Short mmCIF file of all heavy atoms in Angstrom, two decimals:
data_model
loop_
_atom_site.label_atom_id
_atom_site.label_comp_id
_atom_site.label_asym_id
_atom_site.label_seq_id
_atom_site.Cartn_x
_atom_site.Cartn_y
_atom_site.Cartn_z
N MET M 206 169.21 -132.19 -60.44
CA MET M 206 169.49 -130.81 -60.14
C MET M 206 168.22 -130.09 -59.75
O MET M 206 167.29 -129.92 -60.55
CB MET M 206 170.12 -130.16 -61.36
CG MET M 206 170.59 -128.71 -61.08
SD MET M 206 171.51 -128.02 -62.48
CE MET M 206 171.69 -126.30 -61.89
N PRO M 207 168.20 -129.63 -58.53
CA PRO M 207 166.98 -129.04 -58.01
C PRO M 207 166.79 -127.64 -58.73
O PRO M 207 167.72 -126.86 -58.82
CB PRO M 207 167.28 -128.79 -56.58
CG PRO M 207 168.74 -128.80 -56.37
CD PRO M 207 169.23 -129.70 -57.51
N ARG M 208 165.61 -127.42 -59.07
CA ARG M 208 165.28 -126.15 -59.67
C ARG M 208 164.59 -125.27 -58.65
O ARG M 208 163.54 -125.56 -58.14
CB ARG M 208 164.35 -126.31 -60.84
CG ARG M 208 165.06 -126.95 -62.07
CD ARG M 208 164.11 -127.12 -63.22
NE ARG M 208 163.50 -125.79 -63.60
CZ ARG M 208 162.44 -125.72 -64.41
NH1 ARG M 208 161.93 -126.81 -64.90
NH2 ARG M 208 161.98 -124.59 -64.79
N VAL M 209 165.27 -124.25 -58.35
CA VAL M 209 164.72 -123.28 -57.40
C VAL M 209 164.18 -122.03 -58.12
O VAL M 209 164.96 -121.36 -58.66
CB VAL M 209 165.74 -122.85 -56.28
CG1 VAL M 209 165.10 -121.86 -55.39
CG2 VAL M 209 166.28 -124.03 -55.56
N LYS M 210 162.88 -121.94 -58.10
CA LYS M 210 162.32 -120.84 -58.81
C LYS M 210 161.94 -119.83 -57.78
O LYS M 210 160.99 -120.03 -56.93
CB LYS M 210 161.08 -121.33 -59.57
CG LYS M 210 160.47 -120.21 -60.48
CD LYS M 210 159.29 -120.75 -61.20
CE LYS M 210 158.78 -119.69 -62.13
NZ LYS M 210 157.59 -120.11 -62.86
N GLN M 211 162.56 -118.77 -57.80
CA GLN M 211 162.29 -117.71 -56.78
C GLN M 211 161.43 -116.64 -57.47
O GLN M 211 161.78 -116.09 -58.49
CB GLN M 211 163.63 -117.13 -56.28
CG GLN M 211 163.36 -116.31 -55.06
CD GLN M 211 164.81 -115.93 -54.36
OE1 GLN M 211 165.79 -115.96 -55.06
NE2 GLN M 211 164.67 -115.52 -53.21
N GLN M 212 160.37 -116.37 -56.74
CA GLN M 212 159.46 -115.38 -57.24
C GLN M 212 159.42 -114.23 -56.22
O GLN M 212 159.28 -114.43 -55.03
CB GLN M 212 158.09 -115.94 -57.38
CG GLN M 212 157.87 -116.69 -58.73
CD GLN M 212 156.46 -117.08 -58.91
OE1 GLN M 212 155.86 -117.69 -58.04
NE2 GLN M 212 155.90 -116.83 -60.06
N VAL M 213 159.51 -113.11 -56.75
CA VAL M 213 159.42 -111.93 -55.94
C VAL M 213 158.01 -111.39 -56.12
O VAL M 213 157.71 -110.69 -57.20
CB VAL M 213 160.44 -110.85 -56.21
CG1 VAL M 213 160.24 -109.65 -55.34
CG2 VAL M 213 161.81 -111.37 -56.12
N VAL M 214 157.14 -111.74 -55.31
CA VAL M 214 155.74 -111.34 -55.44
C VAL M 214 155.39 -110.61 -54.19
O VAL M 214 155.51 -111.11 -53.04
CB VAL M 214 154.82 -112.49 -55.58
CG1 VAL M 214 153.34 -112.07 -55.69
CG2 VAL M 214 155.19 -113.33 -56.86
N SER M 215 154.89 -109.44 -54.32
CA SER M 215 154.46 -108.59 -53.16
C SER M 215 153.01 -108.79 -53.04
O SER M 215 152.23 -108.44 -53.99
CB SER M 215 154.92 -107.20 -53.30
OG SER M 215 154.30 -106.62 -54.47
N HIS M 216 152.58 -109.21 -51.93
CA HIS M 216 151.17 -109.34 -51.67
C HIS M 216 150.69 -108.16 -50.99
O HIS M 216 150.56 -108.03 -49.73
CB HIS M 216 150.96 -110.56 -50.85
CG HIS M 216 151.33 -111.86 -51.47
ND1 HIS M 216 150.53 -112.54 -52.41
CD2 HIS M 216 152.40 -112.54 -51.38
CE1 HIS M 216 151.14 -113.60 -52.82
NE2 HIS M 216 152.33 -113.62 -52.25
N GLU M 217 150.40 -107.17 -51.82
CA GLU M 217 149.91 -105.90 -51.23
C GLU M 217 148.41 -105.91 -51.22
O GLU M 217 147.81 -105.58 -52.21
CB GLU M 217 150.44 -104.69 -51.99
CG GLU M 217 151.99 -104.59 -51.79
CD GLU M 217 152.48 -103.21 -52.27
OE1 GLU M 217 151.84 -102.20 -51.99
OE2 GLU M 217 153.50 -103.21 -52.93
N ARG M 218 147.88 -106.27 -50.15
CA ARG M 218 146.45 -106.25 -50.08
C ARG M 218 146.00 -105.14 -49.12
O ARG M 218 146.84 -104.35 -48.64
CB ARG M 218 145.94 -107.59 -49.49
CG ARG M 218 146.28 -108.76 -50.35
CD ARG M 218 145.20 -108.87 -51.51
NE ARG M 218 145.48 -109.99 -52.40
CZ ARG M 218 144.90 -111.20 -52.27
NH1 ARG M 218 144.02 -111.39 -51.36
NH2 ARG M 218 145.19 -112.10 -53.16
N GLU M 219 144.80 -105.09 -48.84
CA GLU M 219 144.23 -104.06 -48.04
C GLU M 219 144.81 -104.15 -46.59
O GLU M 219 144.92 -103.13 -45.90
CB GLU M 219 142.73 -104.06 -47.99
CG GLU M 219 142.08 -103.72 -49.31
CD GLU M 219 142.31 -102.31 -49.72
OE1 GLU M 219 142.43 -101.47 -48.91
OE2 GLU M 219 142.44 -102.06 -50.93
N LYS M 220 145.03 -105.38 -46.22
CA LYS M 220 145.46 -105.62 -44.83
C LYS M 220 146.87 -105.09 -44.58
O LYS M 220 147.27 -104.70 -43.50
CB LYS M 220 145.39 -107.09 -44.48
CG LYS M 220 146.29 -107.93 -45.36
CD LYS M 220 146.09 -109.36 -44.93
CE LYS M 220 146.75 -110.37 -45.92
NZ LYS M 220 148.20 -110.20 -45.92
N VAL M 221 147.64 -105.01 -45.69
CA VAL M 221 149.00 -104.45 -45.48
C VAL M 221 148.96 -102.92 -45.55
O VAL M 221 148.44 -102.33 -46.44
CB VAL M 221 149.96 -104.94 -46.66
CG1 VAL M 221 151.30 -104.34 -46.45
CG2 VAL M 221 150.02 -106.47 -46.70
N GLY M 222 149.42 -102.34 -44.47
CA GLY M 222 149.26 -100.97 -44.33
C GLY M 222 150.24 -100.25 -45.23
O GLY M 222 151.43 -100.48 -45.21
N LEU M 223 149.67 -99.43 -46.12
CA LEU M 223 150.51 -98.74 -47.08
C LEU M 223 151.02 -97.46 -46.32
O LEU M 223 150.24 -96.73 -45.72
CB LEU M 223 149.67 -98.32 -48.25
CG LEU M 223 150.41 -97.79 -49.45
CD1 LEU M 223 151.38 -98.74 -50.00
CD2 LEU M 223 149.48 -97.33 -50.50
N VAL M 224 152.27 -97.29 -46.39
CA VAL M 224 152.88 -96.11 -45.68
C VAL M 224 153.43 -95.11 -46.73
O VAL M 224 154.11 -95.51 -47.67
CB VAL M 224 154.03 -96.62 -44.83
CG1 VAL M 224 154.64 -95.38 -44.07
CG2 VAL M 224 153.48 -97.61 -43.77
N CYS M 225 153.04 -93.92 -46.55
CA CYS M 225 153.53 -92.90 -47.49
C CYS M 225 155.01 -92.74 -47.34
O CYS M 225 155.55 -92.56 -46.22
CB CYS M 225 152.83 -91.60 -47.19
SG CYS M 225 153.37 -90.16 -48.18
N ARG M 226 155.77 -92.79 -48.45
CA ARG M 226 157.22 -92.61 -48.32
C ARG M 226 157.66 -91.19 -48.05
O ARG M 226 158.73 -90.87 -47.66
CB ARG M 226 157.83 -93.10 -49.68
CG ARG M 226 157.70 -94.57 -49.84
CD ARG M 226 158.24 -94.98 -51.19
NE ARG M 226 158.14 -96.40 -51.43
CZ ARG M 226 159.09 -97.25 -51.11
NH1 ARG M 226 160.24 -96.84 -50.62
NH2 ARG M 226 158.91 -98.53 -51.32
N ALA M 227 156.72 -90.26 -48.33
CA ALA M 227 157.09 -88.88 -48.21
C ALA M 227 156.93 -88.41 -46.78
O ALA M 227 157.73 -87.78 -46.22
CB ALA M 227 156.20 -88.06 -49.12
N CYS M 228 155.82 -88.77 -46.15
CA CYS M 228 155.47 -88.26 -44.87
C CYS M 228 155.28 -89.33 -43.77
O CYS M 228 155.33 -89.05 -42.62
CB CYS M 228 154.26 -87.31 -44.83
SG CYS M 228 152.77 -88.16 -45.10
N GLY M 229 155.16 -90.54 -44.24
CA GLY M 229 155.06 -91.67 -43.31
C GLY M 229 153.75 -91.94 -42.72
O GLY M 229 153.51 -92.89 -41.95
N CYS M 230 152.71 -91.22 -43.16
CA CYS M 230 151.35 -91.48 -42.73
C CYS M 230 150.73 -92.65 -43.45
O CYS M 230 151.23 -93.05 -44.50
CB CYS M 230 150.51 -90.23 -42.79
SG CYS M 230 149.73 -89.98 -44.43
N GLN M 231 149.69 -93.19 -42.95
CA GLN M 231 149.09 -94.37 -43.60
C GLN M 231 147.71 -94.12 -44.01
O GLN M 231 146.92 -95.01 -44.13
CB GLN M 231 149.07 -95.50 -42.52
CG GLN M 231 150.51 -95.91 -42.06
CD GLN M 231 150.45 -97.04 -41.11
OE1 GLN M 231 149.44 -97.43 -40.61
NE2 GLN M 231 151.62 -97.53 -40.74
N HIS M 232 147.38 -92.91 -44.22
CA HIS M 232 146.02 -92.59 -44.59
C HIS M 232 146.03 -92.18 -46.13
O HIS M 232 146.40 -91.15 -46.47
CB HIS M 232 145.43 -91.46 -43.76
CG HIS M 232 145.40 -91.81 -42.31
ND1 HIS M 232 146.34 -91.38 -41.37
CD2 HIS M 232 144.58 -92.55 -41.64
CE1 HIS M 232 146.12 -91.81 -40.22
NE2 HIS M 232 144.97 -92.58 -40.29
N PHE M 233 145.40 -93.06 -46.87
CA PHE M 233 145.29 -92.85 -48.30
C PHE M 233 143.86 -92.87 -48.71
O PHE M 233 142.97 -93.52 -48.09
CB PHE M 233 146.06 -93.96 -49.07
CG PHE M 233 147.55 -93.79 -48.97
CD1 PHE M 233 148.21 -94.40 -47.81
CD2 PHE M 233 148.27 -93.23 -49.92
CE1 PHE M 233 149.57 -94.31 -47.70
CE2 PHE M 233 149.66 -93.13 -49.77
CZ PHE M 233 150.29 -93.64 -48.65
N ARG M 234 143.62 -92.14 -49.73
CA ARG M 234 142.30 -92.28 -50.33
C ARG M 234 142.55 -92.79 -51.84
O ARG M 234 143.53 -92.45 -52.45
CB ARG M 234 141.53 -90.96 -50.37
CG ARG M 234 142.06 -89.97 -51.39
CD ARG M 234 141.26 -88.65 -51.19
NE ARG M 234 141.63 -87.70 -52.23
CZ ARG M 234 141.11 -87.57 -53.43
NH1 ARG M 234 140.20 -88.40 -53.83
NH2 ARG M 234 141.46 -86.65 -54.24
N VAL M 235 141.61 -93.60 -52.29
CA VAL M 235 141.82 -94.20 -53.61
C VAL M 235 141.30 -93.21 -54.64
O VAL M 235 140.09 -92.77 -54.60
CB VAL M 235 141.05 -95.50 -53.71
CG1 VAL M 235 141.09 -96.10 -55.12
CG2 VAL M 235 141.62 -96.53 -52.76
N VAL M 236 142.12 -92.84 -55.55
CA VAL M 236 141.77 -91.89 -56.62
C VAL M 236 141.02 -92.61 -57.69
O VAL M 236 139.94 -92.20 -58.10
CB VAL M 236 143.00 -91.18 -57.18
CG1 VAL M 236 142.60 -90.24 -58.28
CG2 VAL M 236 143.77 -90.48 -56.11
N TYR M 237 141.51 -93.68 -58.18
CA TYR M 237 140.82 -94.51 -59.10
C TYR M 237 141.33 -95.97 -59.08
O TYR M 237 142.37 -96.22 -58.66
CB TYR M 237 140.92 -93.88 -60.53
CG TYR M 237 142.28 -93.89 -61.18
CD1 TYR M 237 142.71 -95.08 -61.72
CD2 TYR M 237 143.01 -92.73 -61.20
CE1 TYR M 237 144.01 -95.06 -62.26
CE2 TYR M 237 144.24 -92.69 -61.74
CZ TYR M 237 144.79 -93.86 -62.34
OH TYR M 237 146.03 -93.81 -62.91
N VAL M 238 140.51 -96.83 -59.59
CA VAL M 238 140.83 -98.22 -59.64
C VAL M 238 140.70 -98.63 -61.17
O VAL M 238 139.81 -98.35 -61.80
CB VAL M 238 139.87 -99.06 -58.87
CG1 VAL M 238 140.19 -100.52 -58.86
CG2 VAL M 238 139.86 -98.58 -57.38
N LYS M 239 141.74 -99.30 -61.54
CA LYS M 239 141.81 -99.82 -62.95
C LYS M 239 141.93 -101.34 -62.90
O LYS M 239 142.78 -101.89 -62.18
CB LYS M 239 142.95 -99.22 -63.76
CG LYS M 239 142.64 -97.98 -64.46
CD LYS M 239 143.74 -97.59 -65.39
CE LYS M 239 143.46 -96.34 -66.11
NZ LYS M 239 144.57 -95.88 -67.00
N HIS M 240 141.12 -101.97 -63.75
CA HIS M 240 141.20 -103.43 -63.79
C HIS M 240 141.89 -103.78 -65.11
O HIS M 240 141.48 -103.34 -66.24
CB HIS M 240 139.77 -103.99 -63.75
CG HIS M 240 139.14 -103.86 -62.42
ND1 HIS M 240 139.29 -104.84 -61.43
CD2 HIS M 240 138.43 -102.88 -61.85
CE1 HIS M 240 138.65 -104.39 -60.35
NE2 HIS M 240 138.09 -103.21 -60.58
N ARG M 241 142.97 -104.53 -64.99
CA ARG M 241 143.59 -104.99 -66.18
C ARG M 241 143.34 -106.46 -66.42
O ARG M 241 143.01 -107.21 -65.48
CB ARG M 241 145.17 -104.79 -65.94
CG ARG M 241 145.61 -103.34 -65.90
CD ARG M 241 145.59 -102.78 -67.29
NE ARG M 241 145.95 -101.35 -67.29
CZ ARG M 241 147.25 -100.96 -67.22
NH1 ARG M 241 148.22 -101.80 -67.19
NH2 ARG M 241 147.46 -99.70 -67.24
N PRO M 242 143.50 -106.84 -67.64
CA PRO M 242 143.33 -108.29 -67.98
C PRO M 242 144.30 -109.12 -67.12
O PRO M 242 145.45 -108.69 -66.88
CB PRO M 242 143.65 -108.37 -69.46
CG PRO M 242 143.51 -107.00 -69.96
CD PRO M 242 143.78 -106.05 -68.90
N GLY M 243 143.85 -110.32 -66.77
CA GLY M 243 144.72 -111.21 -66.00
C GLY M 243 144.53 -111.01 -64.49
O GLY M 243 145.37 -111.48 -63.73
N GLY M 244 143.46 -110.35 -64.10
CA GLY M 244 143.21 -110.15 -62.70
C GLY M 244 144.14 -109.17 -62.01
O GLY M 244 144.32 -109.23 -60.78
N VAL M 245 144.56 -108.27 -62.72
CA VAL M 245 145.48 -107.25 -62.14
C VAL M 245 144.66 -106.02 -61.87
O VAL M 245 143.94 -105.50 -62.70
CB VAL M 245 146.66 -106.90 -63.08
CG1 VAL M 245 147.47 -105.81 -62.51
CG2 VAL M 245 147.46 -108.15 -63.35
N VAL M 246 144.78 -105.57 -60.70
CA VAL M 246 144.05 -104.38 -60.27
C VAL M 246 145.03 -103.29 -59.91
O VAL M 246 145.89 -103.51 -59.02
CB VAL M 246 143.12 -104.74 -59.04
CG1 VAL M 246 142.31 -103.43 -58.62
CG2 VAL M 246 142.19 -105.84 -59.36
N LEU M 247 144.91 -102.19 -60.55
CA LEU M 247 145.75 -101.04 -60.24
C LEU M 247 144.92 -100.02 -59.44
O LEU M 247 143.84 -99.64 -59.82
CB LEU M 247 146.27 -100.37 -61.50
CG LEU M 247 147.08 -101.32 -62.39
CD1 LEU M 247 147.41 -100.55 -63.73
CD2 LEU M 247 148.38 -101.75 -61.72
N ARG M 248 145.52 -99.60 -58.32
CA ARG M 248 144.80 -98.55 -57.51
C ARG M 248 145.74 -97.35 -57.38
O ARG M 248 146.89 -97.47 -56.86
CB ARG M 248 144.53 -99.14 -56.14
CG ARG M 248 143.49 -100.17 -56.15
CD ARG M 248 143.20 -100.67 -54.73
NE ARG M 248 142.72 -102.00 -54.70
CZ ARG M 248 141.40 -102.26 -54.58
NH1 ARG M 248 140.58 -101.31 -54.51
NH2 ARG M 248 140.98 -103.44 -54.58
N ARG M 249 145.24 -96.25 -57.81
CA ARG M 249 145.96 -95.05 -57.59
C ARG M 249 145.52 -94.42 -56.28
O ARG M 249 144.40 -94.12 -56.05
CB ARG M 249 145.76 -94.05 -58.76
CG ARG M 249 146.30 -92.70 -58.52
CD ARG M 249 147.86 -92.68 -58.66
NE ARG M 249 148.28 -92.70 -60.06
CZ ARG M 249 149.58 -92.69 -60.40
NH1 ARG M 249 150.47 -92.61 -59.56
NH2 ARG M 249 149.87 -92.70 -61.66
N ARG M 250 146.46 -94.30 -55.37
CA ARG M 250 146.06 -93.74 -54.08
C ARG M 250 146.80 -92.43 -53.83
O ARG M 250 147.87 -92.13 -54.35
CB ARG M 250 146.55 -94.70 -52.97
CG ARG M 250 145.80 -96.04 -53.05
CD ARG M 250 146.50 -97.03 -52.21
NE ARG M 250 145.94 -98.45 -52.40
CZ ARG M 250 144.93 -98.92 -51.62
NH1 ARG M 250 144.43 -98.25 -50.63
NH2 ARG M 250 144.51 -100.09 -51.88
N GLU M 251 146.15 -91.58 -53.08
CA GLU M 251 146.67 -90.28 -52.77
C GLU M 251 146.74 -90.10 -51.22
O GLU M 251 145.83 -90.40 -50.54
CB GLU M 251 145.78 -89.29 -53.33
CG GLU M 251 146.31 -87.85 -53.18
CD GLU M 251 145.37 -86.82 -53.78
OE1 GLU M 251 144.41 -86.41 -53.13
OE2 GLU M 251 145.59 -86.37 -54.94
N CYS M 252 147.93 -89.71 -50.80
CA CYS M 252 148.09 -89.54 -49.39
C CYS M 252 147.21 -88.33 -48.95
O CYS M 252 147.21 -87.29 -49.56
CB CYS M 252 149.58 -89.19 -49.07
SG CYS M 252 149.86 -88.83 -47.36
N ARG M 253 146.50 -88.64 -47.87
CA ARG M 253 145.56 -87.54 -47.40
C ARG M 253 146.38 -86.47 -46.66
O ARG M 253 145.85 -85.36 -46.45
CB ARG M 253 144.62 -88.22 -46.36
CG ARG M 253 143.70 -89.21 -46.99
CD ARG M 253 142.76 -89.79 -45.92
NE ARG M 253 141.68 -88.85 -45.77
CZ ARG M 253 140.45 -88.99 -46.37
NH1 ARG M 253 140.17 -90.07 -47.09
NH2 ARG M 253 139.52 -88.15 -46.14
N HIS M 254 147.56 -86.76 -46.27
CA HIS M 254 148.37 -85.79 -45.57
C HIS M 254 149.12 -84.85 -46.45
O HIS M 254 149.03 -83.63 -46.39
CB HIS M 254 149.29 -86.47 -44.62
CG HIS M 254 149.99 -85.60 -43.63
ND1 HIS M 254 149.35 -84.88 -42.62
CD2 HIS M 254 151.31 -85.23 -43.61
CE1 HIS M 254 150.27 -84.14 -42.00
NE2 HIS M 254 151.44 -84.34 -42.58
N CYS M 255 149.94 -85.43 -47.31
CA CYS M 255 150.82 -84.59 -48.18
C CYS M 255 150.38 -84.64 -49.63
O CYS M 255 150.94 -83.84 -50.46
CB CYS M 255 152.25 -85.04 -48.03
SG CYS M 255 152.64 -86.62 -48.81
N GLY M 256 149.49 -85.54 -50.00
CA GLY M 256 148.99 -85.50 -51.38
C GLY M 256 149.84 -86.24 -52.37
O GLY M 256 149.59 -86.32 -53.52
N LYS M 257 150.86 -86.90 -51.83
CA LYS M 257 151.67 -87.71 -52.71
C LYS M 257 150.93 -88.95 -53.19
O LYS M 257 150.21 -89.60 -52.41
CB LYS M 257 152.93 -88.17 -51.94
CG LYS M 257 153.94 -89.00 -52.84
CD LYS M 257 155.17 -89.32 -52.06
CE LYS M 257 156.09 -90.17 -53.02
NZ LYS M 257 156.46 -89.43 -54.23
N ARG M 258 151.03 -89.23 -54.51
CA ARG M 258 150.29 -90.33 -55.04
C ARG M 258 151.20 -91.50 -55.30
O ARG M 258 152.36 -91.36 -55.64
CB ARG M 258 149.70 -89.83 -56.41
CG ARG M 258 148.56 -88.87 -56.20
CD ARG M 258 147.84 -88.55 -57.51
NE ARG M 258 146.71 -87.64 -57.23
CZ ARG M 258 145.83 -87.28 -58.20
NH1 ARG M 258 146.01 -87.70 -59.40
NH2 ARG M 258 144.84 -86.45 -57.90
N THR M 259 150.56 -92.60 -55.09
CA THR M 259 151.31 -93.89 -55.30
C THR M 259 150.45 -94.86 -55.95
O THR M 259 149.12 -94.75 -55.86
CB THR M 259 151.80 -94.41 -53.96
OG1 THR M 259 152.57 -95.57 -54.24
CG2 THR M 259 150.68 -94.79 -53.03
N LEU M 260 151.00 -95.78 -56.64
CA LEU M 260 150.24 -96.75 -57.41
C LEU M 260 150.52 -98.07 -56.87
O LEU M 260 151.69 -98.56 -56.79
CB LEU M 260 150.64 -96.65 -58.89
CG LEU M 260 149.79 -97.55 -59.89
CD1 LEU M 260 148.38 -96.91 -60.06
CD2 LEU M 260 150.44 -97.58 -61.23
N THR M 261 149.42 -98.77 -56.57
CA THR M 261 149.61 -100.17 -56.05
C THR M 261 149.05 -101.11 -57.08
O THR M 261 148.11 -100.87 -57.71
CB THR M 261 148.93 -100.41 -54.75
OG1 THR M 261 147.54 -100.14 -54.82
CG2 THR M 261 149.50 -99.48 -53.64
N ARG M 262 149.74 -102.25 -57.19
CA ARG M 262 149.23 -103.21 -58.15
C ARG M 262 148.89 -104.52 -57.39
O ARG M 262 149.78 -105.00 -56.59
CB ARG M 262 150.35 -103.51 -59.22
CG ARG M 262 149.69 -104.23 -60.43
CD ARG M 262 150.82 -104.53 -61.40
NE ARG M 262 151.62 -105.69 -60.94
CZ ARG M 262 152.39 -106.43 -61.71
NH1 ARG M 262 152.54 -106.05 -62.95
NH2 ARG M 262 153.09 -107.43 -61.27
N GLU M 263 147.74 -104.98 -57.59
CA GLU M 263 147.34 -106.21 -56.96
C GLU M 263 146.97 -107.22 -57.96
O GLU M 263 146.38 -106.96 -59.00
CB GLU M 263 146.11 -105.93 -56.05
CG GLU M 263 146.37 -104.94 -54.99
CD GLU M 263 145.09 -104.48 -54.31
OE1 GLU M 263 144.05 -105.21 -54.43
OE2 GLU M 263 145.05 -103.36 -53.79
N THR M 264 147.39 -108.48 -57.70
CA THR M 264 147.03 -109.54 -58.64
C THR M 264 146.10 -110.51 -57.94
O THR M 264 146.44 -111.05 -56.91
CB THR M 264 148.36 -110.27 -59.06
OG1 THR M 264 149.27 -109.32 -59.60
CG2 THR M 264 148.02 -111.33 -60.15
N VAL M 265 144.89 -110.64 -58.56
CA VAL M 265 144.00 -111.56 -58.03
C VAL M 265 144.13 -112.89 -58.69
O VAL M 265 143.91 -113.04 -59.90
CB VAL M 265 142.55 -110.98 -58.19
CG1 VAL M 265 141.53 -111.96 -57.58
CG2 VAL M 265 142.45 -109.68 -57.59
N VAL M 266 144.48 -113.92 -57.89
CA VAL M 266 144.73 -115.20 -58.46
C VAL M 266 143.47 -116.08 -58.14
O VAL M 266 143.07 -116.21 -56.95
CB VAL M 266 145.99 -115.89 -57.88
CG1 VAL M 266 146.13 -117.25 -58.53
CG2 VAL M 266 147.16 -114.99 -58.16
N GLY M 267 142.90 -116.63 -59.15
CA GLY M 267 141.70 -117.46 -58.92
C GLY M 267 140.52 -116.64 -58.67
O GLY M 267 140.42 -115.49 -59.00
N GLY M 268 139.58 -117.30 -58.03
CA GLY M 268 138.37 -116.57 -57.73
C GLY M 268 138.39 -115.97 -56.35
O GLY M 268 137.46 -115.79 -55.68
ZN1 ZN F 1010 152.13 -88.43 -47.26
#
């Protein structure tokens, strides 16, 4: 019986353009960066246009 392990992993890196859900612009500034154990990096970003803040989570695997 084949085991299909489906992972929903979003690779949100810098190359992926983050689009503001509020105004649709792609210009963000990083408010702060938090490093969590396990290679998880949280970035709080603020839209330069409307000021809406969003949190992105990145997981760094390996080196
Ligand atoms: Zn915006």
Side-chain angles (χ1 to χ4, degrees):
M206 184 172 174
R208 288 178 59 192
V209 179
K210 187 179 181 184
Q211 194 169 20
Q212 278 185 310
V213 181
V214 179
S215 62
H216 297 278
E217 291 194 46
R218 295 282 178 96
E219 293 293 329
K220 59 183 171 65
V221 181
L223 190 64
V224 181
C225 178
R226 291 175 180 267
C228 70
C230 83
Q231 299 179 351
H232 300 100
F233 288 84
R234 71 182 185 90
V235 178
V236 180
Y237 65 80
V238 180
K239 268 190 180 178
H240 292 269
R241 290 286 178 84
V245 177
V246 181
L247 301 174
R248 291 179 204 265
R249 174 71 80 178
R250 297 166 187 267
E251 184 180 84
C252 177
R253 299 182 79 99
H254 186 72
C255 71
K257 182 176 178 59
R258 291 187 175 184
T259 184
L260 188 70
T261 60
R262 198 183 75 164
E263 301 168 21
T264 305
V265 180
V266 179

